[in-house]
Amino acid sequence: MSLSCSDRFTDLLCAEDSNEVLSDDSPACSSELDSQASCIEESSIDGFIEDETNFVPGFDYLARFQCQSLDASAREASVAWILKVQAYYNLQPLTAYLSVNYLDRFLYSRRLPQASGWPLQLLSTACLSLAAKMEEPLVPSLLDLQVEGAKYIFEPKTIQRMELLVLTVLDWRLRSVTPFSFIDFFACKLDPTGTFLAFLISRATDIILSNIKEASFLEYRPSSIAAAAILCAANEIPNLSLFNPEHAESWCDGLSKEKILSCYRLMQELVVDNARRKPPKMLPQLRVSIRGRMRSSDSSSSSSSSPSYKRRKLNNCLRVDDDDRNSK
């Protein structure tokens, strides 16, 4: 599906300055940082620690899923759809995480007419649209955003009204504190030489997104999730695998050793379990078939070179040869 540029920003309901939204104010982490820059970064992390509880659902949110007051399977399906759209358009990982953050905070504060079905799909679409407007330089149109197995297709005006409701419920606080606010800083703490920074950050990001569907992680604050993800990523590097997870508490003030260790153990179990059950990746073939509706020439050229097409062509040739021999 092509990315529509028409009316891309006209339906923006929040009035944030685009330069402010798209800027990255956190200083780079390297051995060349002077003491002043280091102090600025330390103070930023202290601020994130202080504010992070303001951007998560209430403490009893997880209990609502456990007592089935909220449908955990419906939430998991919505998050899975958000991740599919994020992969389809190659959106930022933070965009996907913010979408789920908005969804959880909304569900904690406001009950939908029904636990699943079209209301939850509409909420998921609105949350994803708002997150994309916060983080992406180019945002798919509201119609183009509804791809990858969306069960219901809503008119743009309907989504805009839902966006306004989400903004009202969240008190317009969209620039949330997330695990991505911490992972660069924690990676620098674990690997001060900077040798494995790129891998640590990339792998921790993958781990966070792969576990975002699990309601169990709603128990933990963003800082604990970020620290646990960095520790899990470090396990895959021999030079860093001997790091004692209990020492992660010293990375900054305000961290809870018990919460980090508990989140770390849960994350380890899920990472191992996901690695065992991970199916073969079929996303490229699915994306070709979907985009073929809009660009038939691209689809035909791609499908003609695919292994499945070659197998079909070979089988047809073999059948023709067999028919010729039988006729003779």
Side-chain angles (χ1 to χ4, degrees), residues 61-281:
Y61 183 57
L62 177 59
R64 297 183 189 180
F65 289 105
Q66 294 171 339
C67 69
Q68 299 183 347
S69 173
L70 291 174
D71 190 345
S73 61
R75 176 191 179 274
E76 183 176 345
S78 295
V79 176
W81 176 78
I82 289 173
L83 291 175
K84 287 180 181 178
V85 178
Q86 182 258 339
Y88 184 89
Y89 285 116
N90 195 29
L91 304 177
Q92 299 291 330
L94 179 56
T95 300
Y97 196 95
L98 282 177
S99 304
V100 180
N101 176 263
Y102 300 161
L103 182 141
D104 285 328
R105 288 161 59 193
F106 183 95
L107 290 177
Y108 176 76
S109 301
R110 181 71 65 91
R111 185 177 295 274
L112 292 174
Q114 58 191 64
S116 59
W118 70 264
L120 190 57
Q121 177 70 58
L122 177 59
L123 174 61
S124 303
T125 305
C127 289
L128 179 56
S129 174
L130 288 172
K133 291 169 183 175
M134 286 293 295
E135 296 300 325
E136 303 296 330
L138 295 177
V139 182
S141 70
L142 291 176
L143 286 176
D144 287 343
L145 202 61
Q146 303 177 76
V147 296
E148 289 292 341
K151 296 181 180 179
Y152 307 92
I153 303 298
F154 304 100
E155 295 182 354
K157 290 183 178 180
T158 303
I159 300 173
Q160 290 171 354
R161 288 195 294 269
M162 190 65 193
E163 284 181 333
L164 185 57
L165 179 59
V166 172
L167 289 167
T168 303
V169 171
L170 301 187
D171 197 23
W172 290 74
R173 294 180 301 153
L174 299 186
R175 202 163 189 178
S176 309
V177 177
T178 73
F180 300 109
S181 305
F182 300 95
I183 58 172
D184 290 34
F185 181 80
F186 290 167
C188 291
K189 287 292 186 179
L190 184 61
D191 180 28
T193 65
T195 306
F196 305 103
L197 277 185
F199 175 83
L200 284 173
I201 295 171
S202 175
R203 181 63 181 133
T205 298
D206 292 340
I207 292 173
I208 291 170
L209 287 188
S210 65
N211 293 319
I212 197 174
K213 292 185 295 184
E214 299 291 335
S216 302
F217 286 99
L218 295 170
E219 178 183 352
Y220 303 102
R221 297 186 303 176
S223 58
S224 297
I225 294 174
I230 289 293
L231 291 171
C232 284
N235 285 338
E236 301 179 20
I237 303 175
N239 299 39
L240 303 178
S241 60
L242 298 180
F243 180 84
N244 188 344
E246 294 186 359
H247 295 165
E249 183 187 19
S250 65
W251 288 345
C252 69
D253 295 333
L255 294 178
S256 168
K257 180 173 68 175
E258 291 74 18
K259 287 295 185 180
I260 291 176
L261 293 178
S262 175
C263 185
Y264 170 62
R265 286 190 289 267
L266 174 62
M267 200 171 283
Q268 274 189 312
E269 294 174 3
L270 293 175
V271 167
V272 172
D273 188 52
N274 289 337
R276 291 174 179 171
R277 297 185 305 169
K278 195 172 184 180
K281 291 185 177 180

